[in-house]
Amino acid sequence: MRDAKTKMACCGSCLCCQCCCREGETRTPEELTILGEIQGDEDEILPRKDYESLDYDRCINEPYVEILEGMDNQKAKKYEAVRWIMMFAIGVTVGLVGLFVDFFVRLFSKIKFTVVGDSVERCTDKGCLPLSLLELLGFNMTFVFIASVLVLIEPVAAGSGIPEIKSYLNGVKMPGIVRLRTFLCKAAGVLFSVAGGLFVGKEGPMIHSGAIVGAGLPQFQSITFKKIKLDFPYFRSDRDKRDFVSAGAAAGVAAAFGAPIGGTLFSLEEGSSFWNQALTWKVLFCSMSATFTLNFFRSGINFNKWGSFQLPGLLNFGEFKCSDGDKNCHLWTAVDLAFFVLMGVVGGLLGALFNCLNKYLSKYRIKHIHPKAKFIRVLESLLVSMVTTVVIFAASILLGECRDFSSPAAHNTTLSGGEDINSTIRQFFCTNETYNDMATLFFNPQEAAIHQLFHQEGTFSPVTLSVFFLLYFLLACWTYGVSVPSGLFVPSLLCGAAFGRLVANILKVKLGLDIYSGTFALIGAAAFLGGVVRMTISLTVILIESTNEITYGLPIMITLMVAKWTGDFFNKGIYDIHIQLRGVPLLEWETEVEMDRLTASDIMEPNLTYVYPHTRVQSLVSILRTTVYNAFPVVTENRQNERDFMKGNILVSNNIRFKKSSVVSRAGEQRRRCQSMKSYPSSELRNVCDEHNVAVEPAEEGEDLLQQMLERRHAPYPNLNPDQSPSEEWTMEERFRPLTFHGLILRSQLVNLLIRGVCYAENQSSATQPRLSYAEMTEDYPRYPDIHDLDLALLNPRMIVDVAPYMNPCPYTVSPNTHISQVFNLFRTMGLRHLPVVNAVGEIVGIITRHNLTHEVLVAKLHQHSITI
């Protein structure tokens, strides 16, 4: 099936040629990209064409206008009130999800560490430590097995989910990422993967879970569970759904870190390609609801003080404060900024190395593990769990140092779960008066280890920190990408905190500087996390809100900026890398400056499949069954009075004068592309259009292409329905004849019209055609019926469908001469799915989709443009 689609894409890449994919011949990567074929190079994964854009742009058709006309101020306020209620409900639900995940993670982890800890203390003297290792392996591998099986049920639940949500908010329709089954597997799987001892976090999956809640809760229906379907007429569009997904993702960040402002900025910085003031306020309200819901219940459960609000997020860094008696202590000074900048550089380098290694591991998985049987992925997860468990156990026995209990503790001794920080110190394999510093980091939940690094003074030797950082770096890099729900925030923070404490120990011991170690641990965590994920604004605010210390704003911001700049010199952030590995056509914030040498006519697709305002059912069914396009231009032909507008070399249309040579036409654009192909070294591409150029009559001297087209358009064309294939004997002008553009209609709308029998007989007026309301048009959202589900026996192929009332008569359009930067900004900012290219006289000459604006395609088009020049 996939090969067939590839061949169809090859055959349809250029209408003036037959299928050019001959076996045994090779083309350059630029040629493959321009012709829309699949790139076989292992070093580059091109954007896949099977990803579609969301319809964020409103379809202003007649049913929608009827809704607007019936909307008074009272109804508008009611609609807005329902939206605010949904935002509050999403926030509360996300907070409860976070409470559920946190409760069971702590429960399972406490059971595991209690049983294994007692066994280690008992077997240290008896010499039965292998039994303790087997117990730890039993717990970890059982939990990881359950998490991996849940991912087999819903593969989209693997990973953190942030790349998928980022792609969705960028405007890409990702199959299955916001379904209820994904949510159940994600929420249940992450608690088992975290409790199973893998170096993963629950914060990333919380963001994905929040986005799913935002997508599903306002719909009041479920595709997974068919019986969940209530009559709720609101929010039945991609536009509303995308707004709620933005709010849900922000609420997930707020619940994970206790950072509602950071969550709002995260949704703005990392996700959405669109934004407005009203949405900002609603998203912040949703994030606040999630934070305070989680805070209320966690504080009541852990401290038995309901309403005290002491635990704002799943991850809390605690309060950074000097001891009361130390008046010379400062959290940081201006001199420390120089060290913070250097740590930012090192963090960027380490993050780039982490991303590079993980990219090659992910490529290996895609090539060698994913194509095999599904249980191979489970075996890989179990292998990672086994190696991680053995490394943790062996490092604690062999590499941990027994240190004296007299080391001073920090002023803040309370963990985010209400436990005393000193209760997390482990004595494994050490005498009664000492403790094992390596086991203290490894045999604790990751949040407790972060608190140890942030708030314990003098408890870890440089050797222990170095070994811990190296092991954690390698194992976390290997773990991210296995088939379990897994986050990357907490492992990156813990790894960076160890790096920061190592720097603080060196500065204290070697240089004798009086510094606050917790600050350096925090800056190290920010540097490494920034080098991995390349976030700046939102991550700065998240870390400030998590520490509850505004004075850290400047050093954190500087460190993150330096880490991002350093890492960007080598590769992209980890989430962008995984988006690229999936072949998602993600649109960046802006294009490169050199791309402005291209115009809309250089990247558009002139080979259009179109429909007429009044089209037979037979033609519509044939078009829908033989194409994969999701929108069709609604056009008419042969404007009878066009000849009257010709005045010498000037074309007059709507009282505006144009030079005939500057008016782009479909035939002229296709001819130009065929000519440019001849400049390629491949003989196949040079000759690809020659056989059709022969059929074109040469123009007389001084007569341009537009004049030929305008003269030909009044001659009778063959009686052609849009679904029929052009004849091989047609000229370029007959193949790409002028089409007056009237609007766009979606595939889902056409299928809906056919299923509901919206048509009229040939001997009747179009006024007799049944009318559909807006509610009927959107009733099946988001899973519209497919054309192959249509029973053709119920249709009369000679009936006619009037599509004009249901098309979008005023979509965004661009001129063929519009520069790429303007096209790109319009497409991305307005969240478009299709962008028609209309010339000066109202004729559609091409259409632009998301795939035409991806970086790889633009680079290939620029290369082709340079060769042509």
Side-chain angles (χ1 to χ4, degrees):
M1 184 68 180
R2 188 175 184 85
D3 294 336
K5 289 183 178 179
T6 304
K7 189 171 182 180
M8 286 177 62
C10 170
C11 295
S13 62
C14 179
L15 188 63
C16 65
C17 62
Q18 298 294 328
C19 182
C20 304
C21 301
R22 298 192 180 98
E23 297 181 359
E25 296 190 9
T26 58
R27 298 196 182 100
T28 64
E30 292 82 7
E31 294 167 346
L32 289 171
T33 307
I34 292 170
L35 294 178
E37 298 177 14
I38 295 177
Q39 170 70 9
D41 188 5
E42 294 182 1
D43 297 331
E44 184 180 10
I45 298 178
L46 299 181
R48 290 164 45 185
K49 287 190 174 182
D50 53 349
Y51 283 117
E52 290 294 335
S53 297
L54 297 170
D55 290 313
Y56 191 71
D57 186 27
R58 289 192 178 98
C59 180
I60 314 294
N61 53 18
E62 291 187 12
Y64 184 81
V65 172
E66 291 174 359
I67 290 290
L68 294 181
E69 291 175 350
M71 181 79 69
D72 54 13
N73 290 335
Q74 186 175 0
K75 290 183 178 179
K77 290 180 180 179
K78 177 183 177 182
Y79 184 85
E80 190 69 10
V82 173
R83 185 181 293 270
W84 280 98
I85 293 173
M86 283 296 104
M87 289 291 180
F88 177 75
I90 291 170
V92 172
T93 305
V94 172
L96 294 177
V97 171
L99 178 69
F100 168 82
V101 173
D102 179 71
F103 177 81
F104 283 99
V105 166
R106 291 183 181 277
L107 177 63
F108 293 156
S109 299
K110 183 177 181 180
I111 294 173
K112 180 183 72 173
F113 286 124
T114 300
V115 173
V116 175
D118 293 342
S119 176
V120 169
E121 292 178 357
R122 184 174 62 255
C123 290
T124 300
D125 299 329
K126 296 182 179 180
C128 58
L129 287 177
L131 180 61
S132 302
L133 175 59
L134 290 177
E135 291 179 355
L136 185 59
L137 280 171
F139 275 109
N140 287 348
M141 295 184 71
T142 300
F143 290 152
V144 171
F145 176 77
I146 296 174
S148 189
V149 169
L150 289 172
V151 169
L152 288 186
I153 298 175
E154 183 53 74
V156 185
S160 66
I162 294 181
E164 290 82 1
I165 296 303
K166 181 176 179 179
S167 301
Y168 186 91
L169 294 180
N170 190 262
V172 182
K173 185 178 293 184
M174 303 284 291
I177 67 164
V178 290
R179 294 180 62 177
L180 180 59
R181 185 169 64 182
T182 305
F183 168 75
L184 296 176
C185 294
K186 193 85 172 187
V190 68
L191 65 90
F192 285 109
S193 59
V194 174
L198 293 179
F199 292 166
V200 299
K202 53 182 179 289
E203 285 67 26
M206 270 299 302
I207 299 172
H208 189 185
S209 300
I212 299 175
V213 172
L217 191 60
Q219 301 296 317
F220 285 96
Q221 66 177 2
S222 171
I223 297 174
T224 304
F225 301 99
K226 306 288 185 182
K227 294 183 179 180
I228 303 178
K229 187 172 183 179
L230 302 180
D231 185 14
F232 192 70
Y234 301 98
F235 317 127
R236 313 295 293 171
S237 68
D238 283 346
R239 185 184 187 91
D240 292 323
K241 190 172 184 177
R242 207 166 152 199
D243 288 348
F244 286 120
V245 169
S246 299
V253 176
F257 297 97
I261 301 176
T264 304
L265 293 176
F266 172 85
S267 189
L268 170 61
E269 178 185 7
E270 283 298 302
S272 302
S273 57
F274 61 94
W275 208 254
N276 59 66
Q277 184 178 3
L279 182 61
T280 305
W281 185 235
K282 293 182 180 70
V283 169
L284 180 60
F285 175 71
C286 182
S287 301
M288 286 288 186
S289 303
T291 301
F292 283 98
T293 299
L294 181 64
N295 198 344
F296 175 80
F297 285 101
R298 288 193 70 210
S299 300
I301 293 173
N302 292 324
F303 296 107
N304 201 23
K305 295 180 180 179
W306 295 93
S308 59
F309 296 103
Q310 300 181 31
L311 299 173
L314 299 181
L315 178 63
N316 192 343
F317 295 158
E319 186 179 2
F320 289 78
K321 186 192 300 186
C322 295
S323 302
D324 295 334
D326 190 358
K327 296 183 179 180
N328 296 324
C329 173
H330 300 281
L331 294 182
W332 66 278
T333 62
V335 178
D336 296 335
L337 285 176
F339 296 109
F340 296 160
V341 171
L342 294 177
M343 291 175 67
V345 173
V346 177
L349 294 174
L350 292 173
L353 177 61
F354 183 96
N355 294 352
C356 181
L357 294 175
N358 187 263
K359 179 179 180 180
Y360 283 107
L361 281 171
S362 299
K363 280 189 173 183
Y364 180 85
R365 289 188 178 106
I366 292 173
K367 186 176 180 181
H368 295 95
I369 296 179
H370 292 177
K372 296 181 180 179
K374 290 185 177 182
F375 75 91
I376 299 296
R377 304 185 191 184
V378 178
L379 293 180
E380 184 201 13
S381 303
L382 294 177
L383 175 63
V384 173
S385 175
M386 183 181 67
V387 172
T388 302
T389 304
V390 172
V391 167
I392 288 175
F393 201 86
S396 300
I397 295 177
L398 304 176
L399 303 177
E401 293 188 17
C402 295
R403 302 179 67 83
D404 192 357
F405 265 122
S406 61
S407 298
H411 176 78
N412 187 344
T413 59
T414 303
L415 292 175
S416 60
E419 302 173 277
D420 185 0
I421 191 172
N422 292 320
S423 65
T424 60
I425 294 178
R426 303 302 179 196
Q427 291 184 257
F428 293 169
F429 323 117
C430 294
T431 60
N432 292 332
E433 299 299 326
T434 59
Y435 67 93
N436 190 321
D437 58 352
M438 185 73 76
T440 299
L441 294 176
F442 273 134
F443 277 85
N444 271 311
Q446 295 176 99
E447 291 82 356
I450 291 176
H451 272 261
Q452 289 281 353
L453 293 171
F454 281 174
H455 300 295
Q456 287 282 19
E457 289 288 341
T459 54
F460 306 103
S461 68
V463 175
T464 297
L465 291 172
S466 301
V467 173
F468 176 81
F469 172 79
L470 180 61
L471 294 177
Y472 214 94
F473 180 94
L474 295 176
L475 289 174
C477 183
W478 185 22
T479 304
Y480 188 71
V482 298
S483 293
V484 295
S486 57
L488 196 59
F489 275 96
V490 170
S492 299
L493 288 171
L494 182 53
C495 199
F499 159 66
R501 280 299 294 263
L502 177 62
V503 173
N505 284 8
I506 293 175
L507 293 179
K508 274 188 171 183
V509 175
K510 300 297 181 182
L511 301 181
L513 298 180
D514 186 15
I515 59 175
Y516 185 72
S517 300
T519 298
F520 278 78
L522 175 64
I523 296 302
F528 187 78
L529 180 59
V532 172
V533 301
R534 312 289 164 80
M535 294 161 51
T536 52
I537 303 173
S538 58
L539 189 55
T540 300
V541 177
I542 288 171
L543 293 178
I544 292 174
E545 289 185 280
S546 298
T547 58
N548 198 25
E549 185 61 58
I550 190 62
T551 58
Y552 279 138
L554 180 62
I556 289 176
M557 182 177 65
I558 292 176
T559 303
L560 289 175
M561 290 173 60
V562 173
K564 174 178 170 56
W565 291 340
T566 304
D568 285 343
F569 187 78
F570 298 96
N571 50 33
K572 295 182 178 180
I574 188 67
Y575 300 134
D576 292 323
I577 288 175
H578 280 262
I579 289 173
Q580 185 179 18
L581 290 176
R582 288 174 171 84
V584 178
L586 191 78
L587 300 184
E588 301 293 341
W589 282 102
E590 56 186 3
T591 59
E592 299 175 359
V593 178
E594 62 179 355
M595 295 302 173
D596 259 349
R597 288 187 287 177
L598 298 173
T599 60
S601 61
D602 293 317
I603 67 169
M604 70 182 184
E605 176 54 57
N607 181 20
L608 301 175
T609 301
Y610 50 87
V611 298
Y612 300 123
H614 300 265
T615 307
R616 295 192 185 278
V617 169
Q618 179 182 6
S619 298
L620 289 180
V621 171
S622 179
I623 289 174
L624 294 172
R625 282 179 170 266
T626 57
T627 65
V628 293
Y629 304 123
N630 286 282
F632 304 94
V634 181
V635 301
T636 55
E637 301 177 11
N638 297 337
R639 290 177 294 181
Q640 297 299 325
N641 56 353
E642 182 91 46
R643 184 186 295 273
D644 299 336
F645 292 147
M646 297 300 303
K647 306 292 184 182
N649 291 326
I650 301 298
L651 174 64
V652 181
S653 177
N654 297 329
N655 297 323
I656 302 177
R657 294 173 175 268
F658 302 96
K659 289 183 178 180
K660 292 187 296 183
S661 58
S662 66
V663 180
V664 177
S665 64
R666 296 172 64 223
E669 177 60 24
Q670 191 64 26
R671 189 186 303 281
R672 183 183 69 82
R673 294 191 178 193
C674 289
Q675 292 295 332
S676 67
M677 285 185 181
K678 296 181 181 181
S679 60
Y680 278 96
S682 170
S683 60
E684 175 189 351
L685 288 177
R686 286 200 307 269
N687 302 324
V688 78
C689 297
D690 289 348
E691 55 180 312
H692 301 290
N693 291 339
V694 175
V696 181
E697 297 179 2
E700 297 180 2
E701 186 175 358
E703 185 178 12
D704 61 8
L705 180 61
L706 181 63
Q707 182 65 41
Q708 291 185 41
M709 292 174 57
L710 292 176
E711 291 178 355
R712 274 183 168 273
R713 70 188 308 168
H714 299 286
Y717 281 105
N719 186 13
L720 173 69
N721 287 325
D723 60 298
Q724 291 180 317
S725 301
S727 170
E728 295 297 330
E729 299 177 355
W730 284 7
T731 64
M732 191 77 74
E733 288 75 19
E734 289 172 331
R735 291 172 175 274
F736 296 90
R737 53 192 182 214
L739 303 170
T740 303
F741 179 68
H742 297 285
L744 274 180
I745 189 161
L746 301 177
R747 167 182 287 268
S748 59
Q749 294 172 330
L750 290 177
V751 175
N752 202 359
L753 294 178
L754 292 175
I755 288 180
R756 295 179 181 271
V758 180
C759 55
Y760 65 95
E762 193 171 6
N763 57 356
Q764 294 177 335
S765 169
S766 60
T768 61
Q769 175 176 279
R771 298 296 298 270
L772 294 184
S773 65
Y774 182 77
E776 291 173 320
M777 292 292 294
T778 59
E779 181 180 359
D780 296 319
Y781 179 85
R783 189 62 60 90
Y784 290 106
D786 188 75
I787 184 61
H788 298 284
D789 300 330
L790 184 63
D791 188 359
L792 298 180
L794 302 177
L795 297 176
N796 183 353
R798 302 300 298 173
M799 297 288 282
I800 300 174
V801 179
D802 181 10
V803 302
Y806 307 99
M807 71 180 184
N808 185 1
C810 50
Y812 289 97
T813 60
V814 292
S815 164
N817 299 320
T818 307
H819 288 283
I820 287 302
S821 60
Q822 297 172 289
V823 175
F824 187 91
N825 290 334
L826 176 64
F827 194 97
R828 190 185 194 280
T829 332
M830 303 311 299
L832 304 181
R833 187 175 185 179
H834 306 91
L835 183 58
V837 182
V838 180
N839 66 13
V841 293
E843 296 169 352
I844 184 169
V845 294
I847 197 165
I848 294 174
T849 61
R850 171 175 293 268
H851 183 79
N852 301 115
L853 292 171
T854 56
H855 177 73
E856 293 79 4
V857 173
L858 289 180
V859 169
K861 291 290 185 181
L862 185 63
H863 178 75
Q864 182 192 26
H865 181 76
S866 302
I867 292 178
T868 305
I869 294 177

